[in-house]
Amino acid sequence: MASSNLPVDRSFESGVLNGECPGAVLPPECLWKKKKNGFALIECPQRIPCNPCATSCPAGAVRPFADINDVPRVDYEKCTGCALCVAACPGLACFVVDLTYGEDLALVKLPYEMLPVPSAGDEVDCVDRTGGVAGRGSVVGVSEPLKDHTRVVSVSVKKDIVSDVRAIRTVN
Amino acid sequence: MNPAVREAEILVVGGGAAGLCAAAEAAVAGARVLVLESDLHLGGQLVKQTHKFFGSKDEFAGTRGFKIAGKILDEMASCKDKIETVTNANVMGYYPEDGVVTVMVGEDEYFKVKPARIVMATGAQERLIAFPNNDLPGVYGAGAVQTLMNVYGVSPGDRVLMVGAGNIGLIVSYQLMQAGVQVAAILEAMPNIGGYWVHAAKIRRLGVPILLRHTIKAALGDVVVEGAIVRSLANGETFKIDCDIICLAVGLSPTAEILWQAGCEMKYVPELCGYVPIRNARQRTTNDDVWVAGDAAGIEEASSAMVEGRIAGLDAAASLGYEIDESRFGVYEERLKALRSGETASRIRAGLARVSANGFLGGMTSDGFQ
Ligand SMILES: Cc1cc2nc3c(=O)[nH]c(=O)nc-3n(C[C@H](O)[C@H](O)[C@H](O)COP(=O)(O)OP(=O)(O)OC[C@H]3O[C@@H](n4cnc5c(N)ncnc54)[C@H](O)[C@@H]3O)c2cc1C
């Protein structure tokens, strides 16, 4: 669907994350590698008045906001990787990455509000932050935790692309 | 036709987020409220918003906009003996001599109301920009695209060029993608997106280019839009983008006509996107019988529009002698303060500092809160 002939702006100012910053940090690698079910990764680097990630977390792992404009911070002692934040975030900015899924495979849980809704077993294109295909993935499960049409799609991907995959595109 | 002048304790003009909250709040306090809405249904902008809203739980964060409208309507239903709503009813004029308001219902029915108090919650109007062929069929405002798509379920076209990367341009682009419409690109004259970064990020992931420092030079086509000439503001280069829809999301201006007619003292405040009335902390204008809330008071968000509506409704009811819980004002003011405390709201703060009658805003200054 992308317009292939136009230049691809990868600047932060155009909505593309390129590197860690407050509101968009990665879990500490040593904990993350061993954490069953994975950790939440939040990419919300701008202070905006919004807090459902914190108020919806059943484990209290998105630290409570002192100010509603705070950027989210994850407490990795508490995060269970349940992916409720993935379903709750109005900005679709929460993901869960489980590095323990397989030898070479990681499980990425991402928010999905498009049609068609994929099913477990489907092969999908896994795309990066500008919509470029980072690789293929296999849908492991699709849930709708809040019953509000935001699906959480769990897709297994090669470990070497986990830091790029932020959406999926169904293929026929 | 009913030539008699109707009475109303509180007339709410506009049944969007602000107006409905004003009505609910005033009715709970005991006042009899008449809501007049020019559209065929209540809810204003909310009914077109299929995305989840930001904010806090108090303003239904995480809930899709159209569901928020439903929640306020439910609240109104709990005091329905106090609230009358009329849709397809366009408030046309206010006559300051006697405080009579004239209303058109549909095309050929007409009546007058003489309300004791008025809450103006008329929302906003879209801006357009000038370029050759901007009158071709296929050039739309973002609001029209949303109405077609989300209210009537009609696809506006196959491939859209979006002009403007504010929240509206970003969100409507996302909604278009959800409806299966291609978005060729989003143009933005500024060197950065104007809307929330996360809204841009979710569009970028879908492969939609955002062209910063670019604008539209002309629409192409003889009978309908067939494309657009786009110009880089960085180097002046022009190129063509194929599209059958050009969607303008270049900003809103407060709808203020009736406030002018009501003799409210108005001020041009660029940060609030146009002429807005001077008001006090309770949303009361310089016309003692008139309150203002929501986008009509300055372009902001539904979250703050709802809180402003509640303050206006409560204060209007109090002014009629209804007993209210004064502490509610404090609660609402705290919510507004929180919503407006971040960097993204610095413009709003600067604007509000300029329209506040005698610096009421609890020590708020243009660069923060004291
Ligand atoms: C695409 C888009 C996305 C948005 N996303 C968000 C978001 O995520 N979060 C958020 O908080 N806000 C969001 N907003 C903003 C929000 O929708 C508005 O700020 C809010 O609806 C303002 O409420 P209001 O009641 O002031 O105006 P409106 O909702 O515009 O309601 C005004 C009503 O008054 C009626 N009216 C006008 N003139 C007359 C008249 N003369 N007689 C009778 N009736 C009249 C209109 O028909 C309308 O129904 C979004 C807006 C848009 C367009």
Side-chain angles (χ1 to χ4, degrees):
Chain A
M1 280 214 225
S3 309
S4 46
N5 52 344
L6 291 171
V8 179
D9 187 344
R10 292 179 201 282
S11 69
F12 182 82
E13 290 70 27
S14 72
V16 184
L17 193 73
N18 34 44
E20 287 184 78
C21 57
V25 295
L26 293 172
E29 181 123 23
C30 50
L31 293 177
W32 192 12
K33 272 198 302 217
K34 290 177 283 182
K35 174 64 178 53
K36 274 240 163 301
N37 287 323
F39 280 135
L41 266 63
I42 305 185
E43 301 192 351
C44 186
Q46 181 187 32
R47 286 170 52 81
I48 56 173
C50 185
N51 66 10
C53 56
T55 56
S56 69
C57 178
V62 181
R63 292 176 204 268
F65 289 17
D67 169 347
I68 190 171
N69 293 284
D70 284 350
V71 294
R73 287 179 310 140
V74 178
D75 180 345
Y76 300 104
E77 297 280 298
K78 294 185 179 160
C79 180
T80 63
C82 74
L84 215 58
C85 55
V86 178
C89 171
L92 308 192
C94 299
F95 310 86
V96 166
V97 175
D98 177 0
L99 297 176
T100 68
Y101 186 70
E103 184 73 9
D104 307 314
L105 294 177
L107 195 67
V108 181
K109 301 179 199 175
L110 10 94
Y112 187 79
E113 295 186 332
M114 294 288 151
L115 290 172
V117 178
S119 314
D122 287 358
E123 288 284 304
V124 291
D125 276 339
C126 295
V127 301
D128 64 18
R129 295 180 183 81
T130 58
V133 177
R136 274 291 170 98
S138 171
V139 174
V140 172
V142 179
S143 64
E144 192 186 345
L146 300 172
K147 298 280 168 268
D148 65 353
H149 299 282
T150 303
R151 263 77 178 199
V152 175
V153 174
S154 301
V155 57
S156 70
V157 302
K158 287 256 170 57
K159 265 186 190 160
D160 57 351
I161 58 169
V162 283
S163 55
D164 292 328
V165 176
R166 289 299 173 267
I168 56 153
R169 201 180 292 149
T170 54
V171 288
N172 356 353
Chain B
M1 271 259 232
N2 176 9
V5 179
R6 296 181 48 164
E7 305 275 323
E9 283 194 316
I10 298 179
L11 169 66
V12 174
V13 184
L20 295 182
C21 284
E25 197 77 23
V28 167
R32 281 186 301 108
V33 184
L34 173 64
V35 180
L36 298 177
E37 166 55 55
S38 57
D39 212 331
L40 299 177
H41 40 252
L42 297 170
Q45 293 294 324
L46 286 177
V47 297
K48 300 190 241 172
Q49 307 314 332
T50 51
H51 64 287
K52 292 179 177 176
F53 274 36
F54 290 66
S56 75
K57 268 214 179 103
D58 292 328
E59 289 82 36
F60 313 112
T63 308
R64 297 184 194 282
F66 69 97
K67 298 245 164 155
I68 297 179
K71 288 188 185 204
I72 310 170
L73 291 172
D74 287 347
E75 186 186 342
M76 286 166 63
S78 68
C79 38
K80 62 172 181 291
D81 52 323
K82 295 278 182 201
I83 305 177
E84 185 188 349
T85 60
V86 186
T87 52
N88 202 14
N90 201 350
V91 171
M92 310 290 289
Y94 175 96
Y95 292 79
E97 308 83 69
D98 51 7
V100 164
V101 170
T102 54
V103 188
M104 282 278 289
V105 183
E107 300 277 294
D108 43 31
E109 214 184 304
Y110 167 84
F111 70 88
K112 295 177 189 172
V113 197
K114 191 172 161 54
R117 304 286 187 265
I118 303 181
V119 177
M120 297 286 192
T122 46
Q125 277 156 350
E126 279 184 288
R127 293 186 188 161
L128 297 177
I129 48 174
F131 52 86
N133 285 335
N134 75 351
D135 57 348
L136 272 181
V139 180
Y140 285 88
V145 164
Q146 275 201 307
T147 303
L148 276 177
M149 188 166 62
N150 297 346
V151 179
Y152 298 112
V154 174
S155 169
D158 294 327
R159 192 171 151 88
V160 173
L161 174 66
M162 183 67 67
V163 183
N167 274 329
I168 294 180
L170 297 171
I171 288 168
V172 175
S173 294
Y174 183 72
Q175 294 175 355
L176 282 162
M177 302 281 290
Q178 287 179 303
V181 179
Q182 276 187 42
V183 179
I186 304 176
L187 308 182
E188 172 56 58
M190 300 295 286
N192 51 270
I193 43 154
Y196 289 159
W197 188 91
V198 285
H199 280 319
K202 76 185 193 194
I203 281 290
R204 296 302 308 275
R205 269 178 236 143
L206 298 176
V208 176
I210 295 182
L211 306 181
L212 299 174
R213 308 228 47 213
H214 282 77
T215 190
I216 183 164
K217 190 159 178 255
L220 299 174
D222 289 327
V223 185
V224 294
V225 167
E226 287 163 17
I229 299 290
V230 168
R231 184 172 198 273
S232 160
L233 298 174
N235 58 22
E237 257 173 46
T238 59
F239 54 94
K240 184 183 170 209
I241 289 184
D242 291 325
C243 59
D244 61 351
I245 297 291
I246 295 168
C247 183
L248 302 178
V250 291
L252 304 169
S253 303
T255 304
E257 287 84 355
I258 305 165
L259 291 156
W260 282 104
Q261 292 178 26
C264 303
E265 189 184 335
M266 305 290 285
K267 191 167 178 183
Y268 185 79
V269 182
E271 294 91 342
L272 300 178
C273 305
Y275 277 99
V276 290
I278 303 284
R279 66 271 191 171
N280 71 11
R282 306 271 158 94
Q283 304 296 132
R284 199 173 193 166
T285 68
T286 54
N287 176 333
D288 262 357
D289 295 334
V290 178
W291 282 252
V292 67
D295 281 355
I299 305 305
E300 208 177 333
E301 302 245 287
S303 42
S304 43
M306 290 187 278
V307 187
E308 284 188 351
R310 290 190 182 279
I311 293 174
L314 197 59
D315 197 45
S319 76
L320 288 167
Y322 287 101
E323 215 171 291
I324 57 144
D325 175 359
E326 280 280 332
S327 69
R328 306 289 302 156
F329 287 118
V331 172
Y332 294 147
E333 276 157 24
E334 278 308 307
R335 276 194 212 165
L336 280 182
K337 231 177 174 176
L339 290 169
R340 291 169 174 163
S341 64
E343 290 80 346
T344 48
S346 60
R347 265 171 67 94
I348 301 292
R349 291 198 299 273
L352 287 174
R354 301 179 57 190
V355 288
S356 318
N358 31 11
F360 66 83
L361 282 167
M364 194 165 96
T365 64
S366 55
D367 42 45
F369 296 93
Q370 289 170 348

